[in-house]
């Protein structure tokens, strides 16, 4: 499951606090929808760069992937495990370049536990935090030769559903 790559680990709580502070920095005191969108774009961009680099580290001793489906399975199992110490809970596909990944207990989102009166804004904020993970996926895919768009939904506070739409599939002739 886990690769043989020696990776320095950072305490999960330290990373969570760093992510919270980054979002707080990008969202004003009286946030507007544009503030949430800007923070989400920035967090997704950070995730993209981290995912791209991390994918290169994790696969450096592996053989090349033969298909896009193999890359997606790698993301769901090995890559997700390297990042969150668990695998994706569910993978679905329509066999036409669209994949749905479900993490029913996303480690970063499971830390959210707002009071009932703050649930609506907490869910919106959780959507911002989940953009980092969608950036990780998109960056890892890009680093592995698959160009795709990745959307994320947060149906409930601890869950994240990622929809991957393949735009340029892995070139199997490499």
């Amino acid at each position: 499951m886990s690769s043989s790559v020696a990776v320095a680990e950072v305490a999960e709580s330290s990373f969570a606090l760093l992510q919270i502070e980054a979002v707080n920095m990008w969202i004003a005191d009286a946030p507007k929808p544009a503030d949430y969108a800007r923070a989400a774009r920035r967090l997704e961009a950070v995730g993209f760069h981290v995912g791209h680099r991390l994918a290169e580290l994790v696969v450096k001793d592996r053989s090349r992937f033969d298909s896009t489906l193999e890359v997606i399975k790698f993301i769901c199992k090995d890559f997700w495990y390297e990042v969150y110490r668990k695998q994706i809970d569910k993978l679905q596909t329509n066999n036409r370049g669209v994949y749905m990944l479900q993490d029913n207990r996303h480690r970063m989102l499971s830390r959210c536990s707002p009071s009932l009166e703050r649930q609506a804004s907490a869910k919106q904020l959780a959507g911002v935090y989940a953009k980092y993970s969608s950036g990780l996926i998109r960056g890892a895919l890009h680093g592995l030769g698959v160009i795709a768009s990745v959307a994320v939904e947060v149906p409930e506070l601890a869950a994240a559903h990622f929809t991957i739409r393949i735009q340029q599939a892995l070139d199997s002739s490499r």
Side-chain angles (χ1 to χ4, degrees):
M1 180 164 341
S2 180
S3 70
S4 61
V5 176
V7 178
E9 294 185 23
V10 175
E12 193 173 314
S13 57
S14 296
F15 176 72
L17 291 171
L18 176 65
Q19 189 175 21
I20 289 167
E21 285 306 311
V23 171
N24 286 341
M25 183 176 67
W26 295 324
I27 294 178
D29 291 332
K32 301 178 274 310
D35 294 331
Y36 284 105
R38 182 179 64 245
R41 281 191 310 273
R42 288 180 174 174
L43 213 47
E44 198 271 344
V46 170
F48 176 86
H49 291 291
V50 172
H52 192 276
R53 291 178 180 162
L54 186 58
E56 290 175 354
L57 282 173
V58 174
V59 300
K60 81 175 186 184
D61 295 329
R62 293 178 63 125
S63 59
R64 290 186 182 244
F65 296 104
D66 293 328
S67 69
T68 301
L69 181 58
E70 283 184 23
V71 173
I72 298 292
K73 286 180 179 179
F74 164 78
I75 297 292
C76 292
K77 293 179 180 180
D78 299 328
F79 182 78
W80 209 251
Y81 183 82
E82 285 297 323
V83 177
Y84 296 112
R85 295 294 180 234
K86 69 181 287 282
Q87 295 180 2
I88 286 287
D89 295 312
K90 187 175 183 181
L91 166 64
Q92 293 178 296
T93 181
N94 68 358
N95 294 316
R96 285 180 240 133
V98 178
Y99 299 88
M100 177 75 154
L101 284 58
Q102 293 181 11
D103 187 345
N104 297 325
R105 186 122 176 95
H106 192 285
R107 291 181 69 111
M108 296 306 290
L109 300 181
S110 63
R111 296 177 180 275
C112 301
S113 60
S115 60
L116 286 174
E117 57 272 2
R118 296 188 58 211
Q119 290 250 342
S121 64
K123 197 170 175 184
Q124 184 179 19
L125 202 52
V128 173
Y129 290 125
K131 290 298 264 183
Y132 175 79
S133 296
S134 71
L136 279 174
I137 294 169
R138 193 172 68 84
L141 289 170
H142 189 269
L144 299 173
V146 178
I147 308 302
S149 64
V150 180
V152 63
E153 293 178 32
V154 179
E156 54 190 66
L157 279 181
H161 296 178
F162 303 93
T163 303
I164 301 171
R165 285 184 167 67
I166 304 300
Q167 296 167 352
Q168 182 181 338
L170 186 69
D171 181 11
S172 60
S173 63
R174 299 195 278 166

